[in-house]
Amino acid sequence: MRITKWTIAALFLTCAIASQAATQQAATQKPATQQRAQEHEKKLKRSDLPAAVQKTADQESQGATIRGYSSETENGQLVYEVEMTSHGHGRDVLIAADGSVLEIEAEVALDSLPAPVRDGLKQLAGPGTITKVESLTKHGALVAYEAQVRTGTKRSEIQVGPDGKPLAHPE
């Protein structure tokens, strides 16, 4: 009978230790969605950038505070992103491996936008609150304005063209 009591106590203790170890392991692992996001975007140092990208990054960030560098693959192409703050506004520059600027997202104040753009964004936002607006420039041409909208606890993103009209497809 004593062996049975000790066996049961040992099994109970083993289960408790295994359960605690499993809980600690689960708590330290990142959720799969976070791991996938990090696989797509890789944080870099300036020294990790190709020379052509460094040169463009330096030109585009004059007078700005660099928040970080990263790389990711978009449409099968390796691209580099420089995140910065300029005059209190966020600015992200997407650069190709050859140093050419692919895209610039620059935060802008809603009240500084042309009336048709401001009105178009407000109309698309409906009852939601516009929390942030960015201009979107691709290959040197302004292609859209993008706004983040909060409606209750839901967050969404809307876009209008430079004329303030809804886009046929997202940029």
Side-chain angles (χ1 to χ4, degrees):
M1 193 87 163
R2 283 187 175 176
I3 295 174
T4 307
K5 287 181 183 178
W6 283 109
T7 306
I8 292 171
L11 284 172
F12 180 75
L13 183 60
T14 303
C15 288
I17 291 170
S19 174
Q20 183 178 5
T23 301
Q24 286 177 342
Q25 182 180 5
T28 59
Q29 287 183 340
K30 294 177 184 172
T33 54
Q34 278 185 330
Q35 287 177 345
R36 281 193 296 272
Q38 288 179 346
E39 288 171 2
H40 294 298
E41 182 175 291
K42 181 180 175 186
K43 297 292 180 192
L44 302 172
K45 298 177 198 166
R46 184 185 176 281
S47 59
D48 297 331
L49 302 174
V53 175
Q54 281 185 20
K55 182 179 178 184
T56 302
D58 291 346
Q59 291 169 346
E60 291 293 326
S61 65
Q62 287 183 347
T65 302
I66 301 293
R67 293 192 325 256
Y69 302 96
S70 61
S71 68
E72 63 184 293
T73 302
E74 281 192 7
N75 301 323
Q77 178 185 13
L78 181 62
V79 295
Y80 299 87
E81 184 173 23
V82 183
E83 295 179 28
M84 63 191 86
T85 303
S86 180
H87 306 291
H89 294 286
R91 186 169 187 260
D92 299 341
V93 181
L94 201 62
I95 304 169
D98 67 0
S100 60
V101 175
L102 300 173
E103 181 178 302
I104 298 173
E105 287 184 353
E107 189 176 348
V108 294
L110 181 63
D111 59 358
S112 72
L113 298 173
V117 173
R118 191 174 48 246
D119 294 343
L121 288 171
K122 286 180 178 179
Q123 183 177 359
L124 282 178
T129 303
I130 295 175
T131 59
K132 181 179 176 181
V133 179
E134 293 177 319
S135 63
L136 183 59
T137 303
K138 291 187 177 184
H139 305 287
L142 177 65
V143 295
Y145 288 95
E146 184 173 87
Q148 294 177 6
V149 178
R150 187 180 65 233
T151 308
T153 58
K154 183 182 172 193
R155 297 184 185 277
S156 59
E157 196 172 84
I158 56 174
Q159 290 184 340
V160 296
D163 57 1
K165 296 179 181 169
L167 298 174
H169 57 82
E171 285 293 331

